[in-house]
Amino acid sequence: MRRVIKFVLVFAVLCASGPQAWANSYSDAIKAFSNAGESGKFFKTAYGYALFPTIGKAGFVIGGAYGEGKVFVGAKHVGNTTMTQLSVGAQWGGQAYSQIIFFQNEQAFKDFTSGNFEFSAQASAVAITAGASAEASTGGGTAAGISGGRNDAATVSGGYRKGMAVFTIATGGLMFEAALGGQKFTYTPL
């Protein structure tokens, strides 16, 4: 079992560090989310946000994901963050995606930077750069996204839940999943 978990996590890191990921800079991700429907509106009103230009994810019954990002308050870079995820359920394949988490206020920012787990339920289907996803989490977020790639992504959100709003855009891969997972975020201030 440990070998399977180790393999899945290594594969997820490789997905995040492949050639597709190298092309995904922070400015490209910000531009994509700014032009992707509802997520663009949050840049004007949010206290801050955590941006992950590329998260790599892989799974076969047991799955894992990993990504590195930056945390901003307003437009100022205030720290760095990582996301690791372990999931179990009906899933197979690998994918890369971009994710942004908006903080409604200072308390939501403090909650995020405390590094607590957030458990979530996910369902997604991604083929190369076309994808559709939905997510609901006990930590407070609901989100949905669809894309044929970064340039034509559309995002939808149920608004802030517990001070956070989460959006994702598929950037590549082939993955199908309906799984339960736990995400862990770490934060390192500058």
Side-chain angles (χ1 to χ4, degrees):
M1 181 61 93
R2 285 182 173 221
R3 285 184 183 173
V4 172
I5 293 171
K6 193 174 190 178
F7 170 77
V8 167
L9 289 174
V10 168
F11 188 77
V13 169
L14 290 174
C15 285
S17 62
Q20 177 74 17
W22 298 330
N24 295 337
S25 71
Y26 288 91
S27 60
D28 290 342
I30 288 172
K31 182 178 177 183
F33 283 111
S34 293
N35 297 325
E38 287 189 30
S39 60
K41 299 173 190 173
F42 284 76
F43 283 101
K44 296 174 186 166
T45 60
Y47 176 82
Y49 57 91
L51 177 64
F52 300 87
T54 303
I55 295 175
K57 180 192 237 181
F60 181 74
V61 181
I62 296 173
Y66 177 80
E68 296 178 355
K70 293 182 179 179
V71 177
F72 299 85
V73 172
K76 183 180 179 191
H77 178 205
V78 296
N80 297 314
T81 183
T82 62
M83 188 283 296
T84 54
Q85 176 183 337
L86 183 62
S87 57
V88 178
Q91 58 188 318
W92 65 267
Q95 76 176 99
Y97 61 94
S98 297
Q99 181 176 42
I100 192 165
I101 303 168
F102 289 101
F103 312 121
Q104 184 176 24
N105 51 40
E106 186 176 6
Q107 183 59 50
F109 169 78
K110 287 179 180 178
D111 290 345
F112 178 84
T113 57
S114 70
N116 294 324
F117 274 99
E118 178 178 317
F119 292 98
S120 62
Q122 302 166 321
S124 67
V126 173
I128 310 304
T129 59
S133 65
E135 181 173 343
S137 66
T138 58
T142 59
I146 186 166
S147 70
R150 283 191 162 224
N151 295 330
D152 65 353
T155 57
V156 178
S157 171
Y160 287 109
R161 298 227 339 113
K162 295 189 180 177
M164 296 182 204
V166 181
F167 296 92
T168 61
I169 296 175
T171 59
L174 177 62
M175 184 161 196
F176 302 94
E177 89 177 310
L180 295 175
Q183 292 183 333
K184 170 76 172 166
F185 296 93
T186 62
Y187 173 74
T188 307
L190 291 181

